[in-house]
Amino acid sequence: MVILELGEFTRVEGNGKAEVIIENGEVKEARVKIVEGPRFFELLTLGRYYWDVPDLEARICAICYLAHSFASVLGIENAFGVKVPEEIQLLRELGLIGEILESHSLHLYLLVAPDLFGYPDAIRMASKHGEIVREGLALKAFGNYIREVIGGREIHGINVKPGGFGRYPTEDELEKIDKSCDALLRFAKRAVNIFATQEVFGAVPEYHVATDGYLYGEKLIASDGERFDYFEHIEEKSLPYSFAKQSHYKGSVFMTGALSRLMVKSDRLTPIAKELFEQHKEKLSRGYVSLNNLAQAIELVYSLERAKEIVSTLLDHGIKGENVPIEPKEGEGIGYVEAPRGVLIHHYRIDENGNITYSNIITPTALNHALMELSLYEEARKQYGTVDENFLKHKLEETVRAFDPCISCSVHFVRL
């Protein structure tokens, strides 16, 4: 037996490794080993007053802190039966759009683009393709500006509250967002052209899973037409070699993320993004995980268009800035949000005093874990024996990168 070891993944968030097991010259198994130390965010919320929980959950991740904050708030509001007005819904959506812009730009321009252009990193790539790197940084900075406006800070903000916000944006801030959307749109269109050239690799999932709204919703939906709560069809299990759980949908390997959103919700895309989707639909429909990169590029266009729509609506109506009052009571609620890399779930039970008694967090990287392993297996089986070991290892890392994994998010309390 031969074990092909991939050391610490490079150009991904967090600490992960992989190994491919080969017997008699045949690839038998691939394991993605999430080795980052256990984190106990579910346990840290137990016994805490509901009001403090979204601020705590924002510390799970610096890249997608708003997704965690909003998933937490939605879970709490659903437990209390609270509904917020359109203004708050639109501002939450705007914050998630800022996060997509910030995260997708980081992933595409700084982590994936070096593979396309043949460089080991974005710094050396910038020596020949500085304009592309600068465009990516401009998109990322704009996404961070939106996050600061909505979340209070670029990283680990504390402005997202059950029932509303601590502070509401000003008209000047919204107008600045509006103008920047127009200025940056050509960069996002160019990104689509760049990532449309990438070859396909990895596995093809049997199903795609997403929220029933484009960036958050009341239920999950799947490519087989099912609309459901996660515990009805998604089974989690622990693995002896990973500090993250692994999930299956109806017993099958599935995908969540930008590609899944396009596959099940393309009818909700904005005009230019829809046009680009139709242009590349045939390629995207092939379903290989590498196409997640192209899907993210199309979502950059969507995000700029949708942000402009939201800002125009808010400016037309004027910002009222009124939070919905909340009365704590016993209840149970789930928050479903689309983090940049896919479905994020926060599930709480709360007692009559407003304290958390049960907490479960499921992240996109944990949901994609089984497909990661299948993708490495498929790619190794295709390449092993035909290329040298260094090339194979690079290809396997490139396959992991296509998922845009957020490994730190995926590591929580696990019973083995």
Side-chain angles (χ1 to χ4, degrees):
M1 183 174 72
V2 176
I3 298 180
L4 182 65
E5 298 262 6
L6 274 73
E8 298 286 344
F9 297 141
T10 59
R11 282 187 272 137
V12 300
E13 193 288 327
N15 298 316
K17 301 179 180 180
E19 61 183 23
V20 178
I21 299 169
I22 300 158
E23 293 181 5
N24 301 319
E26 185 178 343
V27 175
K28 291 292 186 182
E29 185 183 0
R31 296 174 180 170
V32 174
K33 305 167 81 171
I34 305 299
V35 296
E36 188 150 330
R39 303 171 78 204
F40 303 99
F41 276 94
E42 287 104 336
L43 292 178
L44 289 171
T45 61
L46 295 182
R48 285 186 178 264
Y49 193 56
Y50 78 91
W51 185 262
D52 302 325
V53 172
D55 292 346
L56 176 65
E57 308 290 36
R59 270 65 179 172
I60 292 175
C61 185
I63 298 172
C64 46
Y65 88 83
L66 273 178
H68 282 286
S69 296
F70 288 136
S72 179
V73 159
L74 288 171
I76 291 165
E77 289 175 350
N78 287 333
F80 294 152
V82 171
K83 300 296 180 187
V84 298
E86 183 187 25
E87 176 180 288
I88 293 172
Q89 293 176 31
L90 289 174
L91 287 169
R92 288 174 177 173
E93 187 181 352
L94 183 61
L96 292 171
I97 283 171
E99 203 138 83
I100 281 182
L101 287 165
E102 172 265 341
S103 182
H104 284 6
S105 300
L106 168 64
H107 178 240
L108 293 175
Y109 288 90
L110 302 184
L111 307 183
V112 176
D115 292 325
L116 269 68
F117 290 93
Y119 291 89
D121 54 60
I123 294 173
R124 275 171 277 196
M125 176 183 145
S127 64
K128 291 280 188 179
H129 303 281
E131 184 181 355
I132 293 173
V133 175
R134 283 192 294 272
E135 289 176 3
L137 291 174
L139 285 163
K140 185 178 184 301
F142 177 53
N144 270 332
Y145 175 73
I146 295 176
R147 297 209 306 168
E148 184 176 1
V149 168
I150 301 298
R153 291 195 293 237
E154 288 186 9
I155 296 173
H156 302 326
I158 55 172
N159 192 47
V160 176
K161 304 298 180 186
F165 296 92
R167 170 194 176 274
Y168 284 77
T170 66
E171 286 192 9
D172 287 345
E173 288 169 334
L174 293 176
E175 287 170 357
K176 182 176 178 180
I177 291 171
D178 181 64
K179 291 174 183 174
S180 296
C181 289
D182 292 328
L184 293 170
L185 190 57
R186 64 187 179 91
F187 295 169
K189 289 180 185 176
R190 186 179 180 189
V192 176
N193 292 331
I194 291 170
F195 291 97
T197 65
Q198 189 175 28
E199 62 179 297
V200 297
F201 51 83
V204 176
E206 189 165 347
Y207 298 104
H208 291 281
V209 172
T211 60
D212 60 358
Y214 198 84
L215 290 183
Y216 64 91
E218 296 179 356
K219 298 278 187 178
L220 299 180
I221 56 174
S223 51
D224 61 354
E226 195 83 56
R227 184 175 183 268
F228 61 101
D229 278 311
Y230 80 95
F231 52 80
E232 295 176 302
H233 296 303
I234 292 178
E235 307 90 31
E236 292 184 277
K237 68 176 183 179
S238 300
L239 301 169
Y241 53 84
S242 172
F243 285 121
K245 294 178 183 178
Q246 190 176 94
S247 301
H248 289 79
Y249 170 71
K250 295 182 177 179
S252 298
V253 174
F254 69 99
M255 185 176 189
T256 187
L259 181 60
S260 298
R261 288 190 286 266
L262 294 194
M263 289 297 98
V264 300
K265 298 185 281 196
S266 63
D267 59 319
R268 303 181 206 189
L269 291 174
T270 47
I272 299 174
K274 182 70 178 291
E275 183 181 321
L276 291 167
F277 171 76
E278 293 295 336
Q279 183 181 331
H280 298 286
K281 184 176 180 179
E282 185 176 348
K283 184 174 184 177
L284 289 164
S285 297
R286 296 173 68 185
Y288 292 95
V289 297
S290 62
L291 293 166
N292 193 50
N293 296 323
L294 173 57
Q296 284 194 350
I298 292 173
E299 281 198 332
L300 289 176
V301 174
Y302 166 82
S303 297
L304 293 169
E305 287 188 284
R306 181 59 185 149
K308 189 172 179 65
E309 290 176 356
I310 291 171
V311 167
S312 295
T313 300
L314 292 169
L315 288 172
D316 286 346
H317 291 84
I319 298 291
K320 295 182 179 64
E322 297 174 355
N323 286 0
V324 176
I326 290 183
E327 298 265 345
K329 64 179 181 178
E330 186 176 358
E332 181 173 2
I334 305 170
Y336 295 117
V337 163
E338 292 282 359
R341 48 203 45 78
V343 169
L344 172 64
I345 302 164
H346 282 233
H347 183 183
Y348 304 116
R349 296 189 189 111
I350 306 176
D351 68 19
E352 67 276 8
N353 298 314
N355 298 317
I356 305 295
T357 61
Y358 171 85
S359 175
N360 188 29
I361 300 169
I362 307 175
T363 66
T365 299
L367 294 175
N368 280 330
H369 190 206
L371 184 59
M372 275 189 205
E373 292 191 334
L374 179 61
S375 292
L376 290 184
Y377 169 77
E378 295 281 5
E379 202 59 33
R381 193 176 63 165
K382 182 171 68 176
Q383 303 268 5
Y384 184 71
T386 64
V387 297
D388 67 57
E389 188 172 301
N390 286 334
F391 181 87
L392 176 57
K393 286 183 176 181
H394 176 80
K395 201 66 192 174
L396 295 179
E397 271 212 37
E398 200 175 342
T399 302
V400 170
R401 269 195 288 278
F403 286 92
D404 189 13
C406 190
I407 292 172
S408 297
C409 278
S410 71
V411 179
H412 296 287
F413 179 64
V414 181
R415 296 185 189 276
L416 296 179

